[in-house]
Short mmCIF file of all heavy atoms in Angstrom, two decimals:
data_model
loop_
_atom_site.label_atom_id
_atom_site.label_comp_id
_atom_site.label_asym_id
_atom_site.label_seq_id
_atom_site.Cartn_x
_atom_site.Cartn_y
_atom_site.Cartn_z
N ALA O 160 54.99 -55.84 -34.97
CA ALA O 160 55.28 -54.90 -33.89
C ALA O 160 56.75 -54.53 -33.92
O ALA O 160 57.58 -55.19 -34.57
CB ALA O 160 54.91 -55.52 -32.53
N THR O 161 57.05 -53.44 -33.21
CA THR O 161 58.44 -53.08 -32.95
C THR O 161 58.66 -53.21 -31.44
O THR O 161 57.71 -53.29 -30.67
CB THR O 161 58.73 -51.65 -33.40
OG1 THR O 161 57.83 -50.76 -32.72
CG2 THR O 161 58.54 -51.51 -34.91
N LYS O 162 59.90 -53.23 -31.04
CA LYS O 162 60.20 -53.41 -29.63
C LYS O 162 60.49 -52.07 -28.99
O LYS O 162 61.46 -51.39 -29.35
CB LYS O 162 61.39 -54.36 -29.46
CG LYS O 162 61.60 -54.82 -28.02
CD LYS O 162 62.64 -55.92 -27.96
CE LYS O 162 62.79 -56.44 -26.54
NZ LYS O 162 63.77 -57.55 -26.45
N GLY O 163 59.63 -51.66 -28.06
CA GLY O 163 59.82 -50.41 -27.35
C GLY O 163 60.41 -50.64 -25.97
O GLY O 163 60.71 -51.78 -25.57
N ARG O 164 60.55 -49.55 -25.21
CA ARG O 164 61.14 -49.69 -23.88
C ARG O 164 60.26 -50.51 -22.94
O ARG O 164 60.75 -51.15 -22.02
CB ARG O 164 61.35 -48.28 -23.28
CG ARG O 164 62.54 -47.53 -23.91
CD ARG O 164 62.67 -46.16 -23.33
NE ARG O 164 61.50 -45.33 -23.63
CZ ARG O 164 61.35 -44.08 -23.20
NH1 ARG O 164 62.27 -43.52 -22.44
NH2 ARG O 164 60.27 -43.39 -23.53
N ARG O 165 58.97 -50.49 -23.20
CA ARG O 165 58.05 -51.22 -22.32
C ARG O 165 57.50 -52.49 -22.98
O ARG O 165 56.52 -53.05 -22.49
CB ARG O 165 56.90 -50.30 -21.92
CG ARG O 165 57.36 -49.10 -21.11
CD ARG O 165 56.16 -48.27 -20.66
NE ARG O 165 56.59 -47.12 -19.88
CZ ARG O 165 55.75 -46.21 -19.35
NH1 ARG O 165 54.44 -46.35 -19.54
NH2 ARG O 165 56.22 -45.20 -18.66
N GLY O 166 58.10 -52.91 -24.08
CA GLY O 166 57.63 -54.12 -24.74
C GLY O 166 57.21 -53.88 -26.17
O GLY O 166 57.70 -52.97 -26.84
N ALA O 167 56.27 -54.70 -26.65
CA ALA O 167 55.86 -54.64 -28.05
C ALA O 167 54.99 -53.41 -28.31
O ALA O 167 54.11 -53.07 -27.51
CB ALA O 167 55.10 -55.90 -28.42
N VAL O 168 55.25 -52.77 -29.48
CA VAL O 168 54.45 -51.62 -29.94
C VAL O 168 53.91 -51.96 -31.32
O VAL O 168 54.68 -52.32 -32.21
CB VAL O 168 55.30 -50.34 -30.00
CG1 VAL O 168 54.46 -49.18 -30.54
CG2 VAL O 168 55.88 -50.00 -28.65
N ASP O 169 52.61 -51.85 -31.48
CA ASP O 169 52.01 -52.21 -32.77
C ASP O 169 52.64 -51.41 -33.90
O ASP O 169 52.78 -50.19 -33.82
CB ASP O 169 50.51 -51.94 -32.75
CG ASP O 169 49.75 -52.92 -31.87
OD1 ASP O 169 50.38 -53.85 -31.35
OD2 ASP O 169 48.52 -52.74 -31.71
N ARG O 170 53.03 -52.10 -34.98
CA ARG O 170 53.61 -51.42 -36.13
C ARG O 170 52.55 -50.59 -36.86
O ARG O 170 52.83 -49.49 -37.33
CB ARG O 170 54.23 -52.44 -37.09
CG ARG O 170 54.80 -51.81 -38.38
CD ARG O 170 55.48 -52.87 -39.24
NE ARG O 170 56.66 -53.39 -38.58
CZ ARG O 170 57.85 -52.81 -38.61
NH1 ARG O 170 58.03 -51.67 -39.24
NH2 ARG O 170 58.87 -53.37 -37.98
N PHE O 171 51.35 -51.13 -37.02
CA PHE O 171 50.29 -50.45 -37.77
C PHE O 171 49.30 -49.84 -36.78
O PHE O 171 48.69 -50.56 -35.96
CB PHE O 171 49.57 -51.43 -38.70
CG PHE O 171 50.49 -52.05 -39.72
CD1 PHE O 171 51.01 -53.33 -39.52
CD2 PHE O 171 50.83 -51.38 -40.89
CE1 PHE O 171 51.85 -53.92 -40.46
CE2 PHE O 171 51.67 -51.95 -41.82
CZ PHE O 171 52.18 -53.22 -41.61
N ARG O 172 49.10 -48.53 -36.88
CA ARG O 172 48.15 -47.84 -36.00
C ARG O 172 47.43 -46.78 -36.83
O ARG O 172 48.04 -46.03 -37.59
CB ARG O 172 48.86 -47.20 -34.81
CG ARG O 172 49.68 -48.20 -34.00
CD ARG O 172 50.27 -47.59 -32.74
NE ARG O 172 50.97 -46.33 -32.94
CZ ARG O 172 52.19 -46.21 -33.46
NH1 ARG O 172 52.83 -47.31 -33.85
NH2 ARG O 172 52.76 -45.04 -33.58
N ALA O 173 46.11 -46.70 -36.64
CA ALA O 173 45.26 -45.73 -37.33
C ALA O 173 45.44 -45.83 -38.84
O ALA O 173 45.61 -44.83 -39.54
CB ALA O 173 45.57 -44.31 -36.84
N ARG O 174 45.38 -47.05 -39.35
CA ARG O 174 45.57 -47.26 -40.79
C ARG O 174 44.58 -48.31 -41.32
O ARG O 174 44.25 -49.27 -40.62
CB ARG O 174 47.00 -47.71 -41.10
CG ARG O 174 48.04 -46.61 -40.91
CD ARG O 174 49.44 -47.08 -41.22
NE ARG O 174 50.41 -46.01 -41.00
CZ ARG O 174 50.77 -45.11 -41.92
NH1 ARG O 174 50.26 -45.19 -43.14
NH2 ARG O 174 51.65 -44.17 -41.64
N LEU O 175 44.16 -48.08 -42.57
CA LEU O 175 43.41 -49.09 -43.31
C LEU O 175 44.40 -50.17 -43.70
O LEU O 175 45.47 -49.88 -44.25
CB LEU O 175 42.77 -48.47 -44.55
CG LEU O 175 41.96 -49.40 -45.46
CD1 LEU O 175 40.74 -49.94 -44.72
CD2 LEU O 175 41.54 -48.66 -46.73
N LEU O 176 44.07 -51.43 -43.43
CA LEU O 176 45.02 -52.53 -43.63
C LEU O 176 44.68 -53.36 -44.86
O LEU O 176 43.53 -53.74 -45.07
CB LEU O 176 45.04 -53.45 -42.41
CG LEU O 176 46.11 -53.18 -41.34
CD1 LEU O 176 47.49 -53.46 -41.87
CD2 LEU O 176 46.04 -51.71 -40.88
N PHE O 177 45.73 -53.64 -45.64
CA PHE O 177 45.63 -54.48 -46.83
C PHE O 177 46.49 -55.73 -46.59
O PHE O 177 47.72 -55.65 -46.62
CB PHE O 177 46.15 -53.75 -48.07
CG PHE O 177 45.46 -52.45 -48.35
CD1 PHE O 177 45.88 -51.27 -47.73
CD2 PHE O 177 44.40 -52.38 -49.24
CE1 PHE O 177 45.26 -50.06 -47.98
CE2 PHE O 177 43.76 -51.18 -49.50
CZ PHE O 177 44.19 -50.01 -48.87
N PRO O 178 45.89 -56.87 -46.33
CA PRO O 178 46.70 -58.08 -46.15
C PRO O 178 47.36 -58.49 -47.45
O PRO O 178 46.75 -58.43 -48.52
CB PRO O 178 45.68 -59.13 -45.68
CG PRO O 178 44.36 -58.64 -46.17
CD PRO O 178 44.45 -57.14 -46.16
N ILE O 179 48.60 -58.88 -47.37
CA ILE O 179 49.38 -59.31 -48.53
C ILE O 179 49.56 -60.82 -48.42
O ILE O 179 50.08 -61.32 -47.41
CB ILE O 179 50.74 -58.60 -48.57
CG1 ILE O 179 50.54 -57.09 -48.67
CG2 ILE O 179 51.59 -59.12 -49.74
CD1 ILE O 179 51.81 -56.29 -48.42
N ARG O 180 49.12 -61.54 -49.43
CA ARG O 180 49.16 -62.99 -49.39
C ARG O 180 50.30 -63.54 -50.26
O ARG O 180 50.83 -62.85 -51.12
CB ARG O 180 47.82 -63.58 -49.84
CG ARG O 180 46.69 -63.29 -48.86
CD ARG O 180 45.39 -63.95 -49.27
NE ARG O 180 44.38 -63.80 -48.23
CZ ARG O 180 44.20 -64.65 -47.23
NH1 ARG O 180 44.96 -65.74 -47.16
NH2 ARG O 180 43.28 -64.44 -46.32
N ASP O 181 50.62 -64.81 -50.03
CA ASP O 181 51.62 -65.47 -50.87
C ASP O 181 51.04 -65.72 -52.26
O ASP O 181 49.88 -65.42 -52.53
CB ASP O 181 52.12 -66.76 -50.22
CG ASP O 181 51.01 -67.79 -50.02
OD1 ASP O 181 49.90 -67.59 -50.54
OD2 ASP O 181 51.25 -68.79 -49.32
N GLN O 182 51.85 -66.26 -53.14
CA GLN O 182 51.42 -66.45 -54.53
C GLN O 182 50.15 -67.26 -54.65
O GLN O 182 49.32 -67.02 -55.53
CB GLN O 182 52.54 -67.14 -55.33
CG GLN O 182 53.76 -66.28 -55.57
CD GLN O 182 54.76 -66.99 -56.43
OE1 GLN O 182 54.40 -67.64 -57.40
NE2 GLN O 182 56.03 -66.89 -56.10
N ARG O 183 49.99 -68.23 -53.77
CA ARG O 183 48.82 -69.09 -53.85
C ARG O 183 47.59 -68.44 -53.26
O ARG O 183 46.47 -68.88 -53.48
CB ARG O 183 49.07 -70.40 -53.09
CG ARG O 183 50.15 -71.28 -53.67
CD ARG O 183 49.94 -72.70 -53.20
NE ARG O 183 48.59 -73.15 -53.51
CZ ARG O 183 48.20 -73.56 -54.72
NH1 ARG O 183 49.05 -73.59 -55.70
NH2 ARG O 183 46.95 -73.93 -54.93
N GLY O 184 47.79 -67.40 -52.43
CA GLY O 184 46.67 -66.83 -51.72
C GLY O 184 46.33 -67.61 -50.47
O GLY O 184 45.32 -67.35 -49.81
N GLN O 185 47.17 -68.58 -50.13
CA GLN O 185 46.88 -69.46 -49.00
C GLN O 185 47.15 -68.79 -47.67
O GLN O 185 46.37 -68.91 -46.73
CB GLN O 185 47.72 -70.74 -49.12
CG GLN O 185 47.43 -71.78 -48.05
CD GLN O 185 46.04 -72.37 -48.20
OE1 GLN O 185 45.51 -72.46 -49.30
NE2 GLN O 185 45.44 -72.76 -47.07
N ASP O 186 48.27 -68.09 -47.57
CA ASP O 186 48.69 -67.52 -46.29
C ASP O 186 48.86 -66.01 -46.39
O ASP O 186 49.40 -65.50 -47.38
CB ASP O 186 50.03 -68.13 -45.85
CG ASP O 186 49.92 -69.62 -45.59
OD1 ASP O 186 49.02 -70.02 -44.85
OD2 ASP O 186 50.75 -70.38 -46.15
N VAL O 187 48.43 -65.30 -45.34
CA VAL O 187 48.75 -63.88 -45.21
C VAL O 187 50.19 -63.80 -44.70
O VAL O 187 50.52 -64.37 -43.65
CB VAL O 187 47.79 -63.17 -44.23
CG1 VAL O 187 48.26 -61.74 -43.98
CG2 VAL O 187 46.38 -63.18 -44.79
N VAL O 188 51.05 -63.11 -45.44
CA VAL O 188 52.47 -63.06 -45.08
C VAL O 188 52.89 -61.68 -44.61
O VAL O 188 53.96 -61.52 -44.00
CB VAL O 188 53.36 -63.51 -46.26
CG1 VAL O 188 53.11 -64.97 -46.58
CG2 VAL O 188 53.12 -62.65 -47.50
N ALA O 189 52.08 -60.64 -44.91
CA ALA O 189 52.47 -59.27 -44.56
C ALA O 189 51.25 -58.37 -44.67
O ALA O 189 50.15 -58.81 -45.04
CB ALA O 189 53.59 -58.78 -45.47
N PHE O 190 51.46 -57.08 -44.38
CA PHE O 190 50.38 -56.10 -44.48
C PHE O 190 50.92 -54.79 -45.05
O PHE O 190 52.10 -54.46 -44.88
CB PHE O 190 49.77 -55.81 -43.10
CG PHE O 190 49.10 -56.98 -42.46
CD1 PHE O 190 49.82 -57.83 -41.63
CD2 PHE O 190 47.77 -57.26 -42.71
CE1 PHE O 190 49.22 -58.93 -41.04
CE2 PHE O 190 47.15 -58.36 -42.13
CZ PHE O 190 47.88 -59.20 -41.29
N GLY O 191 50.02 -54.08 -45.73
CA GLY O 191 50.27 -52.70 -46.08
C GLY O 191 49.24 -51.84 -45.37
O GLY O 191 48.08 -52.26 -45.23
N GLY O 192 49.64 -50.67 -44.90
CA GLY O 192 48.71 -49.83 -44.16
C GLY O 192 48.65 -48.42 -44.70
O GLY O 192 49.69 -47.81 -44.98
N ARG O 193 47.42 -47.86 -44.86
CA ARG O 193 47.23 -46.52 -45.40
C ARG O 193 46.54 -45.63 -44.37
O ARG O 193 45.55 -46.03 -43.76
CB ARG O 193 46.36 -46.57 -46.66
CG ARG O 193 46.25 -45.25 -47.40
CD ARG O 193 45.09 -45.21 -48.36
NE ARG O 193 45.17 -44.12 -49.31
CZ ARG O 193 44.91 -42.84 -49.04
NH1 ARG O 193 44.52 -42.50 -47.81
NH2 ARG O 193 45.02 -41.92 -49.97
N ILE O 194 47.06 -44.41 -44.20
CA ILE O 194 46.37 -43.47 -43.32
C ILE O 194 45.13 -42.96 -44.04
O ILE O 194 45.05 -42.97 -45.27
CB ILE O 194 47.28 -42.28 -42.94
CG1 ILE O 194 47.76 -41.53 -44.19
CG2 ILE O 194 48.46 -42.75 -42.10
CD1 ILE O 194 48.49 -40.24 -43.89
#
């Protein structure tokens, strides 16, 4: 999320999400999003 005037705002909206994992595949560490 980002911080807006009224609090947290979702970073990813209206996007297909691709979780990005660490080298082991154990943990999701980030996301990529496509419109």
